Amino acid sequence: MPKLLVRRYVPEDFATWNAFIAESKNGTFLFQRDFMEYHADRFPDYSLLIFEDDSLVAVLPAHREVNSVYSHRGLTYGGFVLTRKSKLAGVIAILRAVMQFMESDGVEFFEVKSIPMIYHLLPSAETDYALIVAGATLERRDSLSVIDLQTPFKIAKTRMESVRRGHKNQLVIREDNNFDLFWNSVLIPNLKTKHNAKPVHSLEEITMLHRRFPKNIRHFNVYGENGIEAGTTVFVSENVAHPQYVSGRENKNETGALDYLYHHLITDVFRDKKYFDFGISNEENGMKLNGGLAFWKESFGARTITQDFYRLAVGNHDQLDTVIL
């Protein structure tokens, strides 16, 4: 196996890290330090850089809690970010070196929330294989509803009836850089009423992140004669448009506001992307499916891919010594 150096991220690595993410085969703007560090107070950073000789060959966005390292509870997905030249044997060696590094630092477990394949710029499932042969257990599997925008898909008649209802009600869709109205008038009240919860991002946080990533974080509101009817905040990567937040007034079904909005996003705004990712419809750590929500997404033409969650005992690194024949 190649000789590798693993070390912790330090602030002086900021530019090097971001440049690596930008040129990687499976990184997105969520791994840029400008994004990751907005919640550094909640997720103590344990990000790693992995070098072969003097070349940076991988980075690991991560945080640590007691004796476990996570990649990454504060992000939608995680795992090793790799170069376009990365090959499977090299990634196995990277995982082994990282496990050794973690063990020497008192870490016992490494948990990975995998990057769904639609976000890869090149095939990049090396980490999934390496984790399994290192003895990782599959702790959870979520289902994501995704439209392949580059192949023909069919929107159900019931959705199109709702779209026409939105048109009949003369709804207007506007892209809006001001998040206040949606957050305070629709999203926060709805989450409080339905789930006694708050958005993952506060208004201040999403506004700040939008300033840093104006092309990657876009927001759309739907307006009717009585003001705002619905809205959605979309995270946009190179291949994928993913609604991070979506919410509407109680009468959204009567007005057709959400269907009207999503039809516009799918068939117009993001039609040149490869995928439209509605995200999960799972509850209870992936073991339950919200059937109504999944049906709504599938009626737009979405179909299922999966995202896996792994747990690995880092003391098992010797198990990788005999994998490559």
Side-chain angles (χ1 to χ4, degrees):
M1 290 189 175
K3 186 175 181 180
L4 300 169
L5 169 68
V6 180
R7 67 169 174 82
R8 295 275 300 275
Y9 171 87
V10 293
E12 290 75 18
D13 294 320
F14 184 91
T16 299
W17 177 286
N18 283 349
F20 184 88
I21 297 296
E23 295 298 321
S24 68
K25 70 171 181 173
N26 61 338
T28 72
F29 77 99
L30 268 65
F31 299 141
Q32 293 281 341
R33 300 307 306 190
D34 319 57
F35 188 96
M36 288 181 59
E37 292 175 4
Y38 88 88
H39 52 19
D41 58 322
R42 282 172 274 168
F43 299 96
D45 191 76
Y46 196 85
S47 297
L48 302 178
L49 295 87
I50 301 94
F51 295 85
E52 183 176 355
D53 298 324
D54 293 326
S55 297
L56 184 59
V57 294
V59 300
L60 178 69
H63 66 96
R64 181 172 179 174
E65 298 176 16
V66 194
N67 67 340
S68 296
V69 169
Y70 300 89
S71 182
H72 189 299
R73 282 184 168 177
L75 301 173
T76 308
Y77 39 76
F80 290 106
V81 183
L82 305 168
T83 74
R84 293 169 183 258
K85 296 181 180 179
S86 296
K87 295 181 174 63
L88 180 55
V91 176
I92 292 171
I94 287 169
L95 177 59
R96 182 181 185 279
V98 165
M99 292 169 69
Q100 289 178 310
F101 177 86
M102 289 181 180
E103 183 184 39
S104 69
D105 199 27
V107 176
E108 296 181 25
F109 298 101
F110 176 35
E111 298 198 12
V112 178
K113 184 191 304 185
S114 66
I115 305 171
M117 51 81 61
I118 57 174
Y119 291 89
H120 301 171
L121 301 184
L122 293 173
S124 189
E126 294 90 350
T127 300
D128 300 75
Y129 176 81
L131 286 166
I132 290 298
V133 297
T137 57
L138 179 64
E139 296 286 292
R140 170 177 168 180
R141 172 169 284 163
D142 282 349
S143 61
L144 286 69
S145 299
V146 175
I147 301 176
D148 183 341
L149 296 171
Q150 301 305 307
T151 60
F153 61 94
K154 186 176 181 180
I155 301 176
K157 291 181 179 179
T158 51
R159 293 283 72 77
M160 292 308 303
E161 289 172 1
S162 186
V163 171
R164 287 190 288 270
R165 189 157 56 247
H167 181 75
K168 182 179 179 181
N169 287 322
Q170 298 183 320
L171 299 181
V172 175
I173 299 171
R174 296 193 194 118
E175 185 166 5
D176 194 343
N177 293 335
N178 187 336
F179 295 80
D180 296 40
L181 180 62
F182 174 70
W183 239 250
N184 290 322
S185 299
V186 182
L187 181 63
I188 291 175
N190 281 353
L191 287 176
K192 175 67 175 177
T193 300
K194 296 177 181 179
H195 307 289
N196 195 29
K198 296 179 180 179
V200 173
H201 302 89
S202 68
L203 175 59
E204 293 73 23
E205 288 171 341
I206 198 67
T207 301
M208 176 267 293
L209 289 170
H210 171 72
R211 279 199 306 269
R212 294 180 180 179
F213 300 95
K215 294 181 179 179
N216 301 107
I217 300 176
R218 299 174 64 180
H219 183 76
F220 302 84
N221 285 333
V222 184
Y223 297 92
E225 60 180 11
N226 296 316
I228 187 170
E229 296 287 348
T232 187
T233 302
V234 185
F235 281 14
V236 186
S237 57
E238 187 164 342
N239 283 346
V240 184
H242 166 60
Q244 186 73 15
Y245 294 104
V246 56
S247 196
R249 301 284 194 190
E250 287 187 4
N251 65 341
K252 60 184 180 295
N253 293 332
E254 298 171 16
T255 63
L258 279 184
D259 289 345
Y260 189 66
L261 171 60
Y262 272 73
H263 181 264
H264 175 66
L265 297 178
I266 292 165
T267 63
D268 187 1
V269 179
F270 298 114
R271 66 181 183 275
D272 293 329
K273 289 293 178 184
K274 288 186 178 181
Y275 302 104
F276 191 90
D277 174 18
F278 282 96
I280 68 171
S281 302
N282 301 112
E283 300 173 8
E284 299 182 24
N285 288 323
M287 296 306 293
K288 301 294 183 181
L289 178 70
N290 184 326
L293 183 57
F295 174 81
W296 178 74
K297 296 171 181 179
E298 290 171 345
S299 66
F300 274 105
R303 295 298 180 262
T304 300
I305 67 167
T306 58
Q307 179 183 23
D308 291 341
F309 297 67
Y310 300 96
R311 178 177 172 87
L312 175 66
V314 301
N316 290 343
H317 51 78
D318 289 347
Q319 192 163 318
L320 293 174
D321 291 346
T322 58
V323 170
I324 301 173
L325 302 178

